[in-house]
Amino acid sequence: GLPPLVHVDDPIRAISACFSMVSFLNQMGLCGRFGVTTGRVFCGIVGSDQRREYTVMGDKVNVSARLMTCAEENSVLVDQATFWRA
């Protein structure tokens, strides 16, 4: 989470949220894939006066996306840092 809303159990919260989404998607007859990483990223507004957007960027975001693409349907993959903290 963003300071000051950091929790020692943020990795567990993220994994739990993923499993809740898997359950919800199953009820709707849909599938999903999830990748969870733990670490520092940039989170904020980027762009100019003409176009701005809120985004999250960094190596951990990219690894999370790669884990997601490797995950089987309706499953969650986590990196080692998340595994050890969860």
Side-chain angles (χ1 to χ4, degrees):
L2 294 173
L5 303 176
V6 177
H7 308 93
V8 293
D9 64 340
D10 277 339
I12 294 171
R13 290 173 184 231
I15 295 167
S16 178
C18 289
F19 283 119
S20 293
M21 287 184 270
V22 165
S23 177
F24 183 74
L25 290 171
N26 279 335
Q27 292 174 9
M28 296 177 57
L30 302 171
C31 66
R33 294 174 170 88
F34 300 86
V36 179
T37 55
T38 299
R40 290 184 156 270
V41 298
F42 169 80
C43 178
I45 299 170
V46 296
S48 66
D49 289 338
Q50 275 70 32
R51 179 175 178 204
R52 291 183 186 190
E53 56 186 61
Y54 186 80
T55 190
V56 181
M57 297 186 295
D59 290 340
K60 293 296 180 180
V61 176
N62 298 335
V63 172
S64 183
R66 290 177 186 205
L67 288 173
M68 181 184 69
T69 62
C70 293
E72 295 181 15
E73 287 187 0
N74 299 320
S75 68
V76 180
L77 287 181
V78 300
D79 69 347
Q80 186 174 6
T82 304
F83 178 83
W84 288 114
R85 286 174 175 82

